[in-house]
Amino acid sequence: QSALTQPASVSGSPGQSITIPCTGTSSDIGTYNLISWYQQHPGKAPKLTISEVTRRPSGVSNRFSGSKSGNTASLTISGLQAEDEADYYCCSYAGGVTWIFGGGTKLTVL
Amino acid sequence: QVQLVQSGAEVKKPGASVKVSCKASGYIFTNFYLHWVRQAPGQGLEYMGVIYPDGGGTGYIQKFQGRLTITRDTSTTTLYMELSSLRSEDTAVYYCAREIPVTGNFDSWGQGTLVTVSS
């Protein structure tokens, strides 16, 4: 099963909003709402940022939000801050015991 | 608080096996699924497999079937990942991650263990 498709990089200025798309297929994102997003700073473990498409875990800023349409999920970060600069990965259930990650998107805060 | 603490870095020769441990604490061990995910240098996250600590059942993605073994010891609340027939492409940081059952929420991760495969 191939990785979900994400842009390699996105950028935005402080205070702006950005959206990171994550495209899959009808066998993963298109079928299941078990879609999560992870933030990873260099040299650190990933951190759960959005769960089950739209849920924000306790402690995650409300500037982070998630959505899904068809075979594409999206992560939106509003009011960009310097600390948001990191790699972001989407993840979807794909049936059986299979989970698929996206290739990752490097967010640069200009 | 929930903690997943992994064993230290390993250097292995091609063809050898490696066993990485992940000690869980701060929660009821058998109530959460445990997964292994790896990340090659400069690359993205790659899912490997899962263990259900309550009964010990496992699941591996096709790519790793035959080479990957995930086990757990409920008496010490420790998870193990053994990968055999190592090749250079297996050089990566290996992470254990806890899942709230049937949600896909990998809500807690180990710090990662670097496995280097080199002759």
Side-chain angles (χ1 to χ4, degrees):
Chain A
Q1 208 125 9
S2 301
L4 305 174
T5 301
Q6 298 181 233
S9 63
V10 298
S11 62
S13 299
Q16 289 186 331
S17 295
I18 63 96
T19 296
I20 301 173
C22 169
T23 302
T25 70
S26 58
S27 298
D28 38 69
I29 291 178
T31 295
Y32 303 102
N33 286 326
L34 299 178
I35 298 161
S36 50
W37 289 87
Y38 299 86
Q39 177 192 64
Q40 186 180 36
H41 287 107
K44 301 294 187 182
K47 173 191 171 187
L48 179 64
T49 302
I50 292 289
S51 65
E52 297 167 89
V53 181
T54 60
R55 294 179 183 230
R56 222 176 17 254
S58 174
V60 174
S61 169
N62 60 9
R63 297 183 298 103
F64 291 84
S65 62
S67 63
K68 183 184 105 166
S69 177
N71 296 339
T72 299
S74 298
L75 172 70
T76 297
I77 309 174
S78 59
L80 271 180
Q81 298 181 0
E83 68 214 46
D84 300 331
E85 187 161 293
D87 294 327
Y88 291 85
Y89 294 91
C90 57
C91 178
S92 174
Y93 183 58
V97 295
T98 303
W99 298 86
I100 304 177
F101 286 93
T105 298
K106 181 177 180 58
L107 169 62
T108 300
V109 180
L110 301 170
Chain B
Q1 76 279 25
V2 175
Q3 279 195 303
L4 298 175
V5 179
Q6 298 183 221
S7 50
E10 303 263 11
V11 179
K12 296 292 183 180
K13 293 195 182 303
S17 296
V18 68
K19 192 169 187 177
V20 178
S21 68
C22 170
K23 165 73 175 173
S25 62
Y27 73 96
I28 300 173
F29 183 68
T30 51
N31 283 4
F32 294 81
Y33 302 161
L34 287 163
H35 302 260
W36 287 95
V37 176
R38 74 178 186 179
Q39 186 171 35
Q43 302 301 309
L45 301 171
E46 180 178 31
Y47 183 76
M48 300 179 71
V50 61
I51 189 166
Y52 309 105
D54 194 14
T58 55
Y60 311 125
I61 66 166
Q62 188 170 10
K63 175 177 179 176
F64 296 105
Q65 283 184 2
R67 286 209 302 143
L68 175 63
T69 304
I70 301 175
T71 56
R72 95 285 188 239
D73 183 338
T74 55
S75 67
T76 61
T77 64
T78 302
L79 169 72
Y80 299 94
M81 185 283 298
E82 184 168 20
L83 191 62
S84 62
S85 302
L86 289 170
R87 34 214 189 225
S88 58
E89 310 89 88
D90 295 318
T91 293
V93 175
Y94 289 76
Y95 292 102
C96 57
R98 184 186 85 158
E99 180 202 353
I100 302 170
V102 203
T103 65
N105 300 339
F106 300 158
D107 70 336
S108 187
W109 294 65
Q111 83 276 19
T113 296
L114 176 62
V115 175
T116 302
V117 182
S118 173
S119 54

